[in-house]
Amino acid sequence: MKKSALNLAICAGLFGAVSFAAAAQTQESDSEQQENKLETITVTAQKRTQSIQEVPISVATISQERFNAIFSSGDDITALAVKVPGLYAETSNGRAAPRFYIRGLGNTDFDLAASQPVSIVMDEVVMENVILKSFPLFDMQAVEVIRGPQGTLFGRNTTAGIIKFDSVKPRQDFDGYFKAGAGSLGMRNVEGAIGGGLTDELSARVSLMSNHRDDWVSNSFSGESDVMGGYEEQAGRLQFLYEGNDFDALLNLHTRNYDGTSSLFRANILTPGSNELNENYDRDTVAYNEGRNNPQSYDAWGGSLKMDFALQDMTLTSISAIEKADGGGIGDIDGGNETGPGVVPFQAVTEDQLRGLKQVTQEIRLASDTDNALSWQTGAFYFDSSFSVNSIDGFFGATEVFHGNTSWALFGQSSYKVDDKLDITAGIRYTDDEKTFYVGQQNVNGFALVIGAAEEQYYAPIRVSDDNISWELSANYRLTATTSLFARAAEGFRAQSIQGRDVAFEAPPSVADSETITSFEVGAKSDLLDNTLRLNGALFYYTIDDIQLSAIGGQTQGNQLINANKGVGYGFEIDFDWRATPYFTLGGGFSYNDTELQDDNLTVAPCGSGMCTVLDPVNGDGQAFIDGNPFPQAPETILTLNGRYDFPIESGEIYVYADYQLQGETNLFLYESAEFSSDNNFEAGLRVAYINYEHNYEVGFFGRNITDEDNLKGAIDFNNLTGFVNEPRVLGVDFRINFY
């Protein structure tokens, strides 16, 4: 069966049963009609609590039920890929360093010092480094995907948008939960939280998580069985909330310990001229002669203190935070050995260690707290980060480089309620950003750096700095009591970047100039059919000047930062939730993204040794022109659907929940080839559960990637036709009980 036909069959199978049951229900009582309403969703996309229907920004949320289903098998944060229209994620660094893309805009750089245009904000603290972005998700209260540049309130490096996570906060009332799950591949997950009041003003909450999967991938070269693919991860969060008359304080302490397997690279799983997986691919087996079976481990901890001071008609907020992390991993990059699979021209193994990561942030903001037509907030932000990356190559040796970044900003935003129908919002932010870079044999802040491959000309420190003024102007117009229209124009800024990975391979570091984005979007948000159908949509167009790109791999085997003159993107998103009956809900959405690089003279090195079929024009030096190509790892379309049907019974209910995601055409690299692309990748999930309302527990069966699809997620092109794929099917059972 062709993949497109299989997509239709699975989609129909998952949702046909619940749709038929919903259609069969033709009459409802008055009480049922009253229950058949969508809940109001509140978001903090503008650092204020607002209804999602009133915010003049394209925002998508993930409900707690859907969140629990997505992460039921213990997946990492990249499981959010294609769960929201316009959102994609992938990684070539196991569970440690995710790469996110919104509206086609992201960064494919795999290095631990990579800069990303999608910002991850956890409990109001930006997680800048890629390792910090991978902190596990548990005991979550809200997940928001905020599309488009968000430079005014959230700062630089948000040219694509923000993914915002908020954990459940302490409260005076006692509550908690315990959840345990077990399943295939030796999966064992335990999660729980408990909290309540300690005094009349002080409350606390502790949240814990432990995820485990057995090793399940064998090494045919060494003859070892089940030595890769597993992981052991623990994380915890302790929070204290003090609530006084005019002063609140929230202390958040969190930690993570992770041991697992780096991404599994598989040699020659593509055939020249085709992007289909071939007979060399076996999900359960690799053939590594190096890399020690690709181990990976990281430790992280952090803390934040948020203080709110109630002043006359204003609130003063201070958020102080520190994050630290260490760890590393090693990988057999060529994905095979001297004898194959297929032809492996040379052996490649790389080890990367992140040392001494320290991030300090401080935000202070003053916001109005009245019911007046004019509301406003203003503030300042400070960011300081430092770390070193030690890259160890099997041929060249070891080189350690040091990265530093200091940034500060002043910002302000104001909204004015013109009348009962029209709100206008304007914002501005000034950012000053400075980066430093050092190579081995330097003593920098106590770091004793080693030198292996680096040559003398690379010793000189690099310092780059830039400043920028970002702005936004938006309007929200209430067309009716249930429908609003919005328009938004905004500029964003991603600071200059330094990439020193190539120093480990006797090549100079590279620097990319700052990029700026100008974005326009219009949209509509509606609650229709007597508040049973929520339909939100947006059209967008953006241009990026000096777009930062990572030229990775190819015959030069490098990782160099470059700037293209311009990048252009346009498209639309549609999100919907429909409560068809009190027992049947359907949700999902669709996005279309058309992206294009515009630079007549820009070239990159394509695949090594002519092993792939390059579709771009090539110059006399074998370099491929990339003008007109789509952004790398930018799905042209994303379709996501989810549905739930409830069967009420005397003690509670039994429900069936299903979800489905389809990823459209996606080019993996800056250049285009017949091999390095994907299309019609899809996954589906299923959950069947029983809820007992009297005793507040739930027991269920779940499946993720239930059809066990083998989807190409990424590739390595400098040695052979190496690829890496998605997570396998996981089936399991779980139990959850809530305490009140």
Side-chain angles (χ1 to χ4, degrees):
M1 182 181 290
K2 291 185 177 180
K3 207 166 191 181
S4 58
L6 184 59
N7 282 333
L8 293 174
I10 291 173
C11 190
L14 286 173
F15 295 99
V18 289
S19 298
F20 175 80
Q25 208 165 347
T26 57
Q27 293 184 345
E28 300 172 358
S29 66
D30 291 341
S31 61
E32 287 176 332
Q33 291 177 1
Q34 183 63 32
E35 294 173 1
N36 191 31
K37 303 286 185 182
L38 291 171
E39 296 180 355
T40 299
I41 298 176
T42 59
V43 296
T44 55
Q46 298 190 114
K47 295 192 176 181
R48 296 175 181 271
T49 301
Q50 298 170 285
S51 167
I52 192 173
Q53 302 302 92
E54 299 293 325
V55 177
I57 302 172
S58 180
V59 183
T61 63
I62 297 177
S63 67
Q64 284 193 344
E65 177 184 72
R66 190 167 176 230
F67 177 90
N68 291 336
I70 291 170
F71 292 94
S72 55
S73 64
D75 281 348
D76 65 283
I77 193 172
T78 59
L80 292 171
V82 299
K83 302 302 189 297
V84 169
L87 173 65
Y88 185 58
E90 49 88 24
T91 181
S92 57
N93 279 298
R95 296 167 66 90
R99 300 188 284 264
F100 291 96
Y101 308 78
I102 294 179
R103 290 179 171 172
L105 181 56
N107 183 9
T108 59
D109 191 349
F110 61 88
D111 190 73
L112 299 178
S115 164
Q116 300 287 343
V118 177
S119 184
I120 303 298
V121 178
M122 293 190 177
D123 289 325
E124 300 192 67
V125 176
V126 61
M127 300 295 182
E128 180 67 16
N129 184 270
V130 290
I131 299 302
L132 298 181
K133 293 178 190 291
S134 66
F135 194 87
L137 306 177
F138 58 100
D139 198 22
M140 286 288 117
Q141 177 174 290
V143 180
E144 302 173 25
V145 179
I146 309 172
R147 306 179 180 108
Q150 304 298 322
T152 300
L153 291 179
F154 292 94
R156 94 273 193 267
N157 294 3
T158 61
T159 47
I162 292 170
I163 308 176
K164 191 172 182 293
F165 302 93
D166 289 296
S167 62
V168 178
K169 301 300 184 290
R171 60 177 186 169
Q172 282 293 313
D173 295 334
F174 171 80
D175 74 322
Y177 72 95
F178 172 79
K179 179 180 178 181
S184 54
L185 304 180
M187 184 208 81
R188 298 189 299 275
N189 299 336
V190 178
E191 181 182 319
I194 191 167
L198 302 178
T199 70
D200 290 342
E201 297 176 321
L202 182 65
S203 57
R205 186 177 184 89
V206 59
S207 311
L208 300 172
M209 180 218 75
S210 176
N211 286 345
H212 170 89
R213 180 184 292 177
D214 290 343
D215 287 324
W216 57 279
V217 178
S218 300
N219 189 340
S220 62
F221 181 85
S222 66
E224 300 170 284
S225 298
D226 298 334
V227 289
M228 283 169 277
Y231 54 80
E232 187 79 39
E233 185 163 27
Q234 289 84 34
R237 183 185 302 112
L238 176 63
Q239 299 179 87
F240 293 96
L241 176 62
Y242 175 83
E243 299 173 285
N245 292 331
D246 298 318
F247 170 69
D248 294 345
L250 175 65
L251 177 65
N252 180 320
L253 304 172
H254 47 270
T255 184
R256 173 201 191 187
N257 175 263
Y258 161 67
D259 289 288
T261 305
S262 299
S263 293
L264 298 179
F265 310 109
R266 302 168 184 271
N268 291 305
I269 61 173
L270 301 172
T271 301
S274 171
N275 65 351
E276 298 292 330
L277 300 177
N278 61 27
E279 65 277 3
N280 291 327
Y281 171 71
D282 178 357
R283 187 187 280 280
D284 299 326
T285 306
V286 295
Y288 292 168
N289 63 334
E290 296 180 306
R292 303 196 305 270
N293 293 328
N294 288 26
Q296 183 181 61
S297 63
Y298 283 93
D299 293 302
W301 68 268
S304 64
L305 177 62
K306 178 183 179 182
M307 297 182 290
D308 290 312
F309 301 86
L311 308 176
Q312 184 175 357
D313 297 332
M314 296 180 294
T315 300
L316 177 65
T317 299
S318 169
I319 304 175
S320 309
I322 183 171
E323 301 290 337
K324 291 190 174 185
D326 288 279
I330 185 172
D332 189 319
I333 307 303
D334 61 84
N337 58 79
E338 294 93 338
T339 62
V343 177
V344 181
F346 57 91
Q347 298 300 293
V349 59
T350 301
E351 180 176 357
D352 291 310
Q353 298 291 333
L354 179 76
R355 296 179 175 176
L357 172 64
K358 181 180 179 181
Q359 174 189 290
V360 175
T361 58
Q362 175 64 56
E363 180 172 344
I364 297 177
R365 63 177 183 260
L366 185 65
S368 61
D369 188 11
T370 68
D371 294 328
N372 296 339
L374 179 68
S375 61
W376 53 266
Q377 55 183 307
T378 185
F381 177 77
Y382 175 79
F383 172 92
D384 184 81
S385 174
S386 61
F387 60 90
S388 67
V389 178
N390 186 14
S391 296
I392 305 170
D393 176 74
F395 180 79
F396 290 99
T399 299
E400 191 161 24
V401 298
F402 172 83
H403 291 265
N405 186 192
T406 301
S407 179
W408 62 272
L410 301 173
F411 62 89
Q413 188 183 79
S414 180
S415 296
Y416 182 69
K417 190 177 182 66
V418 178
D419 53 35
D420 290 339
K421 290 184 175 294
L422 179 63
D423 295 343
I424 296 176
T425 300
I428 193 168
R429 185 184 189 105
Y430 172 79
T431 302
D432 184 280
D433 193 280
E434 179 178 325
K435 286 187 171 67
T436 57
F437 174 83
Y438 303 86
V439 179
Q441 294 187 345
Q442 299 273 342
N443 273 320
V444 183
N445 294 343
F447 283 89
L449 306 185
V450 301
I451 182 68
E455 298 180 1
E456 195 70 30
Q457 68 258 34
Y458 307 145
Y459 289 176
I462 297 175
R463 290 184 174 87
V464 293
S465 62
D466 199 1
D467 59 358
N468 175 266
I469 296 178
S470 302
W471 57 267
E472 72 167 300
L473 180 64
S474 62
N476 190 77
Y477 183 78
R478 298 170 189 83
L479 188 65
T480 69
T482 59
T483 299
S484 62
L485 307 177
F486 73 89
R488 182 173 184 261
E491 281 199 353
F493 164 66
R494 179 151 71 112
Q496 65 284 330
S497 300
I498 305 174
Q499 180 51 270
R501 183 174 189 81
D502 282 359
V503 175
F505 305 94
E506 297 187 344
S510 55
V511 179
D513 294 332
S514 303
E515 68 180 21
T516 56
I517 183 172
T518 303
S519 171
F520 303 93
E521 63 180 296
V522 295
K525 301 183 179 185
S526 298
D527 288 339
L528 306 172
L529 303 181
D530 196 24
N531 199 30
T532 62
L533 173 63
R534 179 166 296 137
L535 184 62
N536 296 342
L539 299 167
F540 64 86
Y541 174 85
Y542 63 79
T543 60
I544 310 170
D545 291 327
D546 297 321
I547 180 173
Q548 294 184 23
L549 304 171
S550 296
I552 298 171
Q555 53 192 307
T556 62
Q557 307 172 37
N559 186 353
Q560 289 280 306
L561 293 174
I562 58 176
N563 290 98
N565 286 340
K566 184 177 291 187
V568 176
Y570 64 88
F572 65 88
E573 304 114 2
I574 298 173
D575 302 278
F576 78 93
D577 285 291
W578 180 37
R579 193 167 181 84
T581 77
Y583 308 110
F584 175 58
T585 57
L586 184 67
F590 180 80
S591 64
Y592 171 77
N593 299 302
D594 187 289
T595 60
E596 181 179 313
L597 297 170
Q598 297 183 356
D599 193 319
D600 293 339
N601 301 313
L602 187 61
T603 61
V604 299
C607 53
S609 305
M611 64 188 177
C612 72
T613 310
V614 179
L615 303 179
D616 298 317
V618 178
N619 66 14
D621 296 325
Q623 300 280 300
F625 289 92
I626 63 173
D627 180 58
N629 286 356
F631 298 174
Q633 292 285 8
E636 187 175 62
T637 58
I638 291 175
L639 171 67
T640 177
L641 294 170
N642 62 86
R644 169 173 168 154
Y645 190 80
D646 305 331
F647 300 89
I649 58 178
E650 183 176 350
S651 59
E653 70 177 37
I654 297 173
Y655 71 85
V656 179
Y657 175 89
D659 64 284
Y660 171 87
Q661 301 84 38
L662 175 64
Q663 175 187 338
E665 185 175 358
T666 307
N667 194 51
L668 303 185
F669 295 129
L670 290 171
Y671 65 91
E672 291 190 289
S673 69
E675 297 82 2
F676 297 127
S677 65
S678 64
D679 195 10
N680 285 331
N681 285 349
F682 71 92
E683 289 188 15
L686 181 68
R687 179 173 179 80
V688 181
Y690 163 70
I691 301 177
N692 185 294
Y693 292 135
E694 181 179 356
H695 299 292
N696 299 316
Y697 71 83
E698 176 178 337
V699 59
F701 164 83
F702 65 86
R704 304 305 304 169
N705 189 14
I706 57 176
T707 58
D708 202 22
E709 294 305 307
D710 301 290
N711 294 327
L712 181 68
K713 297 287 286 185
I716 297 174
D717 67 345
F718 66 83
N719 191 343
N720 61 79
L721 293 171
T722 298
F724 46 94
V725 299
N726 62 328
E727 289 292 300
R729 173 173 54 205
V730 177
L731 305 176
V733 295
D734 59 18
F735 171 83
R736 174 176 176 136
I737 185 168
N738 297 316
F739 308 105
Y740 301 104

